């Protein structure tokens, strides 16, 4: 790799990851297959409130399959490199991920914001109960009901704690990310393994530049928002990230 990225003592590092960072663990990315379909369904249709209202059993089958896949794979050197960087930088580091596979957490990332949710958390689509840990895989025609609703004689369907297409991200997550950018004496923004196709994550690079950030994209292919970055390192995150940082 040509040259490392120097991180001096007053530089804070914000990293955004996407599906490409989990690809080397064996989890398929979203826009790799030209048709981008799952069981002949457009993902946008399944991962949506409308899709859940229309066929909750299909949606639970989709997420149960993704849960089983994510449980069957391991974090890769790209995930571990970001844990090592967090250990060196402490509160000068923050990782925002679009990935819901839980691999950053399993690798040891703690300063982590899962802006699109997590496959292994479930919540009720009706009551305000907190999301809870759930690794269960649901049979093809099973739709879990909410026990808290049932205790009150109500009825509520459980749903994956995932931000679906058309839904808003948690404002607390976005606030934490924007505060990090604003408080950084010097900001380095790195995006890795993301096509820059989905907002607001694809706009983080623009926000970071408003705070004077150096911006670097690490991606196997050109990204939709690639022109917004000062530098593009074309490559696999599992190979690039472990060799990239020179923390002073
Ligand atoms: N290393 C680096 N980049 C890679 C690798 C790799 N090993 N493998 C693939 N890539 C790149 C691809 O070139 C692609 O640009 O990762 C990117 C993955 O892009 P997407 O599949 O669009 O995934 P992502 O950007 O995370 O999608 C964002 O869209 O579907 C929704 O909510 C979902 O979080 C997801 C969001």
């Amino acid at each position: 790799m040509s040259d490392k990225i120097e991180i001096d003592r007053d530089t804070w590092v914000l990293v955004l990851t996407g599906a490409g960072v989990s690809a080397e663990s064996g989890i398929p990315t979203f826009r790799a297959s030209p048709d981008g379909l799952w069981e002949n369904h457009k993902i946008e249709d399944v991962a949506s409130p409308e899709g859940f209202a229309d066929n909750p059993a299909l949606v639970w089958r989709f997420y149960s399959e993704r849960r089983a896949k994510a449980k069957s794979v391991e974090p890769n050197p790209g995930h571990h490199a970001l844990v090592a960087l967090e250990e060196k930088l402490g509160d000068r580091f923050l990782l925002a991920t679009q990935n819901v596979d839980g691999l950053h957490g399993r690798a040891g990332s703690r300063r982590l914001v899962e802006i699109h949710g997590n496959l292994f958390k479930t919540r009720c689509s009706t009551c305000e109960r907190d999301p809870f840990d759930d690794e269960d895989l649901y049979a093809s025609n099973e739709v879990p009901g909410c026990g808290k609703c049932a205790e009150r004689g109500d009825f509520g369907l459980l749903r994956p704690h995932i931000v679906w297409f058309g839904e808003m991200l948690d404002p607390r997550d976005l606030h934490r990310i924007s505060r990090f950018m604003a408080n950084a004496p010097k900001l380095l923004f790195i995006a890795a393994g993301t096509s820059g196709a989905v907002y607001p994550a694809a706009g983080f690079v623009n926000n970071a530049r408003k705070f004077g950030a150096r911006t670097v994209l690490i991606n196997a292919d050109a990204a939709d928002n690639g022109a917004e970055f000062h530098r593009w390192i074309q490559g696999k995150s599992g190979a690039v990230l472990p060799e990239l940082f020179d923390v002073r």
Side-chain angles (χ1 to χ4, degrees), residues 15 75 93 133 147 200 208 230:
V15 179
F93 176 89
D133 292 338
H230 294 106

Side-chain angles (χ1 to χ4, degrees), residues 1 4 10 22 38 116 142 216 240:
M1 195 205 48
K4 288 180 178 274
D10 55 4
S22 292
W38 171 77
H116 288 172
E142 182 190 358
V216 180
V240 172

Side-chain angles (χ1 to χ4, degrees), residues 17-21 23-24 29-32 43 98-99 116 163 165 192-198 218-223 235-238:
T17 59
V21 164
E24 289 159 87
T29 60
F30 290 96
R31 294 166 184 83
I43 289 178
Q98 300 171 90
N99 299 339
H116 288 172
V163 179
F165 286 93
T194 180
S195 61
V198 174
I218 299 152
N219 211 53
D221 307 296
K236 293 192 168 199
S237 48

Side-chain angles (χ1 to χ4, degrees), residues 205-221:
V205 58
N206 305 91
N207 304 348
R209 292 191 65 159
K210 286 194 186 99
F211 290 104
R214 274 185 295 160
T215 59
V216 180
L217 174 66
I218 299 152
N219 211 53
D221 307 296

Side-chain angles (χ1 to χ4, degrees), residues 9-245:
R9 299 190 62 74
D10 55 4
T11 294
W12 292 19
V13 181
L14 174 63
V15 179
L16 170 69
T17 59
V21 164
S22 292
E24 289 159 87
S25 294
I27 294 189
T29 60
F30 290 96
R31 294 166 184 83
S33 51
D35 59 8
L37 296 180
W38 171 77
E39 290 193 3
N40 295 322
H41 296 278
K42 280 176 68 183
I43 289 178
E44 291 82 337
D45 294 341
V46 179
S48 71
E50 297 77 16
F52 186 72
D54 180 45
N55 190 341
L58 178 82
V59 172
W60 269 112
R61 187 161 83 242
F62 174 60
Y63 284 97
S64 293
E65 273 187 26
R66 293 178 68 195
R67 271 186 184 169
K69 180 67 179 169
K71 277 163 75 166
S72 72
V73 301
E74 296 298 325
N76 67 61
H79 295 106
H80 294 303
L82 292 174
V83 174
L85 185 60
E86 175 179 338
E87 284 166 355
K88 284 182 185 158
L89 297 181
D91 59 10
R92 295 194 285 138
F93 176 89
L94 187 63
L95 171 57
T97 187
Q98 300 171 90
N99 299 339
V100 297
D101 55 39
L103 288 178
H104 284 303
R106 284 178 52 199
S109 290
R110 291 296 170 265
R111 290 178 58 79
L112 171 64
V113 190
E114 294 178 310
I115 60 172
H116 288 172
N118 184 303
L119 278 174
F120 299 102
K121 287 193 186 297
T122 293
R123 71 172 194 255
C124 178
S125 56
T126 304
C127 74
E128 296 303 312
R129 71 187 288 185
D130 288 339
F132 56 92
D133 292 338
D134 177 12
E135 299 207 356
D136 286 355
L137 305 180
Y138 295 98
S140 61
N141 58 355
E142 182 190 358
V143 180
C146 173
K148 304 278 186 201
C149 285
E151 284 164 12
R152 292 192 306 272
D154 291 336
F155 179 71
L157 290 181
L158 294 182
R159 59 163 280 180
H161 182 53
I162 298 282
V163 179
W164 281 335
F165 286 93
E167 292 186 321
M168 302 294 288
L169 275 64
D170 186 330
R172 292 166 298 184
D173 289 345
L174 295 175
H175 180 75
R176 183 175 179 194
I177 292 162
S178 58
R179 294 310 312 148
F180 185 87
M181 290 188 194
N183 292 339
K186 277 165 67 178
L187 182 63
L188 169 63
F189 175 72
I190 293 174
T194 180
S195 61
V198 174
Y199 287 79
F204 285 4
V205 58
N206 305 91
N207 304 348
R209 292 191 65 159
K210 286 194 186 99
F211 290 104
R214 274 185 295 160
T215 59
V216 180
L217 174 66
I218 299 152
N219 211 53
D221 307 296
D224 293 5
N225 63 347
E228 304 302 323
F229 290 85
H230 294 106
R231 185 178 165 203
W232 171 28
I233 301 173
Q234 183 166 19
K236 293 192 168 199
S237 48
V240 172
L241 285 172
E243 304 299 324
L244 186 58
F245 305 109

